[in-house]
Amino acid sequence: MISPAFASILASGRAQFNARALEARRRFPALDMAAFGAFLHDSVDPLVVAVAAAAPERVGSVTLAAYDMALELVGHGSAGPAAKNPFLNTVWRELAPQFSGLLATAPVDVLGMLSNAAIHLGAVAGARPAQWQRELAALAAQIATLGQLRAVGQVLAWRAGVAHFREGALAAADTLPPALALAAFGEPGAQWPQVHAQLLANPWRGNAEGREFGAFSGLGGDFGTPPQVRASADGFVVRSAERHYLLVADAYGAVLHGATAQEFAQAYTELPSSVRLDGATLHIGARRIELDLPAGDIALAVNAHTLAITSPYTHAIRLLPLA
């Protein structure tokens, strides 16, 4: 059963809501009305209840906006019980109600922003959508404007593994009140200019161990053959089984994008004097690391902040911070 607040609005505007549903079925012939009804019950009702409690005078307009957007999302297969991306259902049901005040004044913008983020996060391999949702919900009471919601959402998406958001997220964080920016990075009480400078200078701040990325495609990984790696300003250009990729990685995650053979050819392989390999022993400045790989065929690639290690004996790329 849906809530009395939602049921009352649907009943009072029955003709209008039915007309909108009929028009949506013409636009989306595959629209499953049973799935739409389930999405209304499970994911729209909670946000209607939240707005009814926070701003009862706005609940009708919010319901209408949510209803229209729900029709489109379910019509595209992005929401509902059989959604391609079930995380979007969760965001509407659990996260959107946390922003009842913003929903009351700008429902289309808030729901559009949260929906786009849910769809994007759900599509990025290796991202951690549940972390993004949990951390954004924890900051909801401190977020007062749409701009702040957009900026905090971008920062938290970066921190949840969307590594290519780094530069944009840092720029977005600079638009926030310092206390909110620090809260988004989990560092209350610090000084934002210092934290920002450290984040900008060191993509691996807070992660001294680095990470391992990639696996055999036959086991659900990304690479059909052991990858070859070259460095670029934006990350590493990777070749595997005649396919090419751009790997972007930092302290929070690693993301693989498409690239070209020309980009691989133009990427560089030179190593700085501070990095050398002695058999299976890696030297980075004064650091000495014993690699668990057969000596002789280990390959290294280095950009400004990161060392990538590959071998013909593994489909994984090991990424180590230089600092």
Side-chain angles (χ1 to χ4, degrees):
M1 295 289 291
I2 61 174
S3 67
F6 195 17
S8 175
I9 294 168
L10 291 177
S12 63
R14 188 179 307 277
Q16 183 181 20
F17 286 115
N18 286 344
R20 290 171 181 268
L22 185 62
E23 171 59 24
R25 294 190 71 178
R26 283 195 287 265
R27 291 170 56 208
F28 308 109
L31 175 60
D32 183 340
M33 294 308 294
F36 175 64
F39 185 67
L40 291 181
H41 179 277
D42 295 336
S43 300
V44 177
D45 190 32
L47 66 88
V48 171
V49 170
V51 174
E57 73 283 0
R58 298 289 300 168
V59 70
S61 59
V62 171
T63 301
L64 191 61
Y67 189 93
D68 284 344
M69 194 173 294
L71 281 168
E72 185 167 351
L73 290 170
V74 176
H76 282 299
S78 299
K84 293 176 285 190
N85 178 11
F87 181 56
L88 189 145
N89 298 338
T90 304
V91 164
W92 275 54
R93 181 176 65 251
E94 299 177 7
L95 183 59
Q98 304 293 319
F99 296 95
S100 56
L102 287 178
L103 277 171
T105 58
V108 173
D109 291 324
V110 173
L111 291 175
M113 200 180 300
L114 294 177
S115 297
N116 287 336
I119 290 169
H120 185 81
L121 280 164
V124 175
R128 302 178 293 277
Q131 174 187 322
W132 176 83
Q133 177 190 340
R134 181 178 64 254
E135 294 183 352
L136 186 54
L139 295 175
Q142 301 179 50
I143 295 173
T145 68
L146 282 171
Q148 290 178 5
L149 176 59
R150 182 179 295 106
V152 172
Q154 189 170 1
V155 168
L156 296 183
W158 171 35
R159 285 170 46 84
V162 188
H164 58 284
F165 273 19
R166 177 174 177 268
E167 290 186 8
L170 282 171
D174 254 349
T175 69
L176 294 169
L180 182 54
L182 290 166
F185 284 97
E187 300 192 35
Q191 297 296 313
W192 172 242
Q194 285 83 354
V195 171
H196 178 270
Q198 292 167 12
L199 288 165
L200 192 62
N202 180 13
W204 292 96
R205 180 181 183 269
N207 180 347
E209 301 301 318
R211 65 179 64 255
E212 191 167 276
F213 178 88
F216 177 46
S217 57
L219 298 175
D222 302 285
F223 303 129
T225 61
Q228 297 173 288
V229 173
R230 293 182 176 180
S232 76
D234 298 322
F236 295 94
V237 188
V238 183
R239 179 170 66 189
S240 171
E242 302 308 314
R243 300 186 65 179
H244 297 85
Y245 310 89
L246 174 65
L247 174 62
V248 180
D250 64 11
Y252 298 125
V255 179
L256 204 61
H257 303 277
T260 66
Q262 182 179 8
E263 288 172 311
F264 183 80
Q266 292 173 343
Y268 54 90
T269 57
E270 297 83 3
L271 298 179
S273 58
S274 59
V275 175
R276 64 184 178 88
L277 193 62
D278 181 12
T281 302
L282 175 65
H283 299 270
I284 307 175
R287 284 187 291 165
R288 175 189 173 104
I289 302 170
E290 298 296 335
L291 301 177
D292 56 349
L293 293 167
D297 293 312
I298 299 171
L300 307 178
V302 179
N303 63 21
H305 303 285
T306 310
L307 168 67
I309 305 168
T310 55
S311 164
Y313 300 100
T314 177
H315 288 78
I317 301 169
R318 193 170 304 175
L319 300 160
L320 297 178
L322 284 182

